[in-house]
Amino acid sequence: MKKYLITGGRGYVGSVLTRRLHRSGAAVVVVDNGLVGGPELDLPGVTYVDGDVREVGAWENAFKGVEAVVHLAAIVGDGACGVDTDTAWAVNYLGTIRVAEACRRAGVRELVFASTCSNYGVTEDTEVDVWSPMAPQSTYAETKVMSEHYLLSLPRDVLGTRLLRFATIHGLSPRMRFDLAVNVMTADAVTRGRVTVHGGTQWRPFLHVEDAAEAVRLVLGDGRRAAPSVYNVGSGEENHRLDAIGELIAGEVPGTRVEIRAEQTDPRDYRVNFDPIGRDLGFTPSLRVVDTVRDIRDAMHGGEFADYDSPRYSNYLTAVAAVHRGA
Ligand SMILES: NC(=O)c1ccc[n+]([C@@H]2O[C@H](COP(=O)([O-])OP(=O)(O)OC[C@H]3O[C@@H](n4cnc5c(N)ncnc54)[C@H](O)[C@@H]3O)[C@@H](O)[C@H]2O)c1
């Protein structure tokens, strides 16, 4: 039985990935410090370790017998990283170095790293691919770019690193986030009868959380460990303008008003080419933005997520609360 270690495995992506790797017959060790992570899943072969990626020494025996590490743990999002940039650098950059060093000591030969299409930042009106220059617009994206550079500088024969630049993710997860565009806009539409779009003309690629997990599973199973690889993870058809997302939601949640505000609060604007991951790994997303809109709408109509604006669903508000607590 293959055994994988997932850092940040109680998170939004990590919970879905844990479930998926378990279903594929693998054993999973989840390491998470519970900063924002959701519940521990009660699944045979899945174990949980309370650990911090900045202090790998405290839980290093968890690496024993592990085939590959999926490194998801991070302070996630522009807003959350902006609250305390020192902590963001310590967790996202130094934490990545600590995890890679521990892989080497434990003889783990493969590391999959969760990066982001946010690295592209603001682009001209063309499609970017993995060769395109990166223009990070936030501390969050800067920590990811620097982590990528570090991982790509390692000797391949010691640690094969695979970098996955995910599109903006959406969809239901055991640890829900309502600070992601599609999720929060849908919840606003259901609850308040309106969605607010700032700017609107920015392009952004989207990816369902189940498909993000499937991409990791495919990369883990492709047997090309020694090949350095950077993939954009998403689908060409799911590059959308934000005003189009507003209209799509209004079409699925009757009575929704779309408010376009002139001020653009987020400068990110990029359309991304996702062909290589489809070509090399046969990756095709199975779910689209509209599926999430319907899932969240139906869940809320069924009484779930009435408290969707609670701080626990927001990485930014969680980070603000941590600063107030002095944590
Ligand atoms: N959700 C997206 O749209 C998206 C897009 C691109 C990339 N990513 C990347 O995917 C990964 C997972 O993101 P997510 O959406 O699941 O976010 P998330 O915030 O839900 O998950 C992050 C997890 O890491 C844990 N964590 C935080 N600091 C830690 C520390 N010091 N030690 C151990 N664990 C710690 C948290 O408790 C949480 O469970 C991140 O690396 C993120 O940058 C996410």
Side-chain angles (χ1 to χ4, degrees), residues 115 120 130 134 148 152 161-165 227-232 276-277 280:
S115 194
Y120 298 116
V130 292
M134 295 194 261
E148 285 195 4
L152 290 172
T161 54
R162 325 290 298 278
L163 315 185
L164 300 181
R165 292 184 189 149
S229 53
V230 184
Y231 286 115
N232 292 322
I277 192 163
D280 294 356

Side-chain angles (χ1 to χ4, degrees), residues 7-15 30-38 49-55 59 71-77 87 90-92 95 113-118 140 144 164-170 173 175-177 179-180 207 209 268 315:
T7 70
R10 281 171 58 189
Y12 178 65
V13 176
S15 311
V30 170
V31 179
D32 200 298
N33 72 349
L35 176 72
V36 292
V49 174
D50 182 9
D52 192 307
V53 291
R54 290 166 292 184
E55 292 154 19
W59 49 272
H71 180 42
L72 305 177
I75 308 294
V76 181
T87 300
V91 174
N92 294 10
F113 175 66
S115 194
T116 170
C117 287
S118 285
Y140 171 58
K144 290 290 180 177
L164 300 181
R165 292 184 189 149
F166 292 117
T168 299
I169 302 175
H170 56 86
S173 160
R175 129 69 177 164
M176 203 44 198
R177 284 183 61 187
D179 54 357
L180 292 164
L207 173 71
V209 65
R268 288 177 298 166
N315 284 354

Side-chain angles (χ1 to χ4, degrees), residues 130-199:
V130 292
W131 297 96
S132 302
M134 295 194 261
Q137 300 292 307
S138 63
T139 299
Y140 171 58
E142 282 168 7
T143 64
K144 290 290 180 177
V145 170
M146 289 298 286
S147 299
E148 285 195 4
H149 286 176
Y150 165 73
L151 292 171
L152 290 172
S153 74
L154 298 175
R156 309 265 112 216
D157 55 337
V158 177
L159 183 63
T161 54
R162 325 290 298 278
L163 315 185
L164 300 181
R165 292 184 189 149
F166 292 117
T168 299
I169 302 175
H170 56 86
L172 293 173
S173 160
R175 129 69 177 164
M176 203 44 198
R177 284 183 61 187
F178 281 104
D179 54 357
L180 292 164
V182 174
N183 296 358
V184 68
M185 286 163 80
T186 305
D188 280 343
V190 173
T191 312
R192 301 187 174 135
R194 72 174 140 78
V195 287
T196 307
V197 178
H198 294 272

Side-chain angles (χ1 to χ4, degrees), residues 189-226:
V190 173
T191 312
R192 301 187 174 135
R194 72 174 140 78
V195 287
T196 307
V197 178
H198 294 272
T201 56
Q202 315 95 299
W203 285 88
R204 201 71 66 69
F206 292 94
L207 173 71
H208 197 281
V209 65
E210 292 287 350
D211 289 319
E214 177 61 8
V216 175
R217 194 191 67 78
L218 283 172
V219 163
L220 287 170
D222 78 348
R224 295 171 68 237
R225 176 174 55 77

